[in-house]
């Protein structure tokens, strides 16, 4: 039983490492797309339209850029958390709840591979 062990085996840690590396790759691709959308300054051709429409268009563009900026910041944090999980794998401390010291369930780690808290500890927060 997972709770009886002190840590995950090297084979299990390798499985988690592969999962995390895959998630990092996907997250970095998503971050690249968000950053490209953020810096995209292509004009939508509103220069010759009515001033009212142009104001709405510029407001919408600003909101979109702000939204992309927030999403990019969250994605950067997610990547940082995944990289920290890789460090814990190398230190063989991955999957250990930082509150209880017990092993975090495999199902939780597969769903949230950067988790540092068991479900019980998270619910108690």
């Amino acid at each position: 039983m997972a709770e009886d062990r002190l840590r995950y085996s090297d084979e299990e840690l390798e499985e988690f490492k592969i999962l995390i590396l895959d998630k990092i790759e996907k997250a970095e691709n998503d971050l690249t797309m968000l950053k490209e959308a953020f810096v995209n300054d292509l004009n939508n051709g509103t220069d010759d339209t009515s001033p009212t429409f142009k104001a709405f268009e510029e407001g919408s563009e600003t909101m979109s850029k702000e939204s992309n900026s927030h999403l990019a910041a969250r994605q950067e944090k997610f990547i940082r958390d995944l990289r920290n999980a890789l460090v814990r794998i190398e230190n063989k401390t991955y999957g250990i709840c930082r509150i209880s010291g017990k092993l975090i369930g495999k199902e939780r780690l597969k769903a949230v591979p950067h988790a540092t808290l068991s479900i019980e500890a998270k619910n108690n927060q």
Side-chain angles (χ1 to χ4, degrees):
M1 179 142 244
E3 284 73 12
D4 296 339
R5 297 187 296 163
L6 297 176
R7 71 173 190 89
Y8 283 106
S9 71
D10 290 345
E11 294 79 22
E12 291 168 316
L13 291 176
E14 187 62 29
E15 288 177 35
F16 287 122
K17 183 177 181 177
I18 291 167
L19 174 73
I20 291 169
L21 288 172
D22 183 54
K23 287 202 178 267
I24 287 173
E25 182 181 346
K26 289 177 183 173
E28 285 177 340
N29 288 338
D30 290 346
L31 180 60
T32 300
M33 286 191 306
L34 285 169
K35 285 183 175 181
E36 286 173 358
F38 181 74
V39 297
N40 184 7
D41 289 321
L42 295 177
N43 189 338
N44 289 334
T46 57
D47 290 337
D48 61 348
T49 58
S50 75
T52 305
F53 179 76
K54 188 173 180 182
F56 287 135
E57 188 69 23
E58 288 171 353
S60 175
E61 182 180 326
T62 300
M63 282 181 51
S64 178
K65 284 189 176 188
E66 285 178 9
S67 176
N68 282 344
S69 175
H70 290 296
L71 289 172
R74 286 186 61 168
Q75 198 70 357
E76 287 172 340
K77 181 187 180 311
F78 179 56
I79 292 168
R80 185 176 60 248
D81 290 346
L82 289 171
R83 290 192 188 286
N84 289 338
L86 288 176
V87 170
R88 291 193 303 278
I89 286 175
E90 294 303 315
N91 295 338
K92 301 194 189 291
T93 59
Y94 179 78
I96 300 171
C97 176
R98 62 184 165 89
I99 301 287
S100 69
K102 296 179 182 178
L103 280 184
I104 299 169
K106 266 189 168 183
E107 305 79 32
R108 173 158 171 74
L109 291 173
K110 286 181 179 178
V112 186
H114 57 286
T116 60
L117 297 174
S118 65
I119 291 176
E120 297 81 19
K122 186 74 173 173
N123 287 338
N124 289 335
Q125 272 191 332

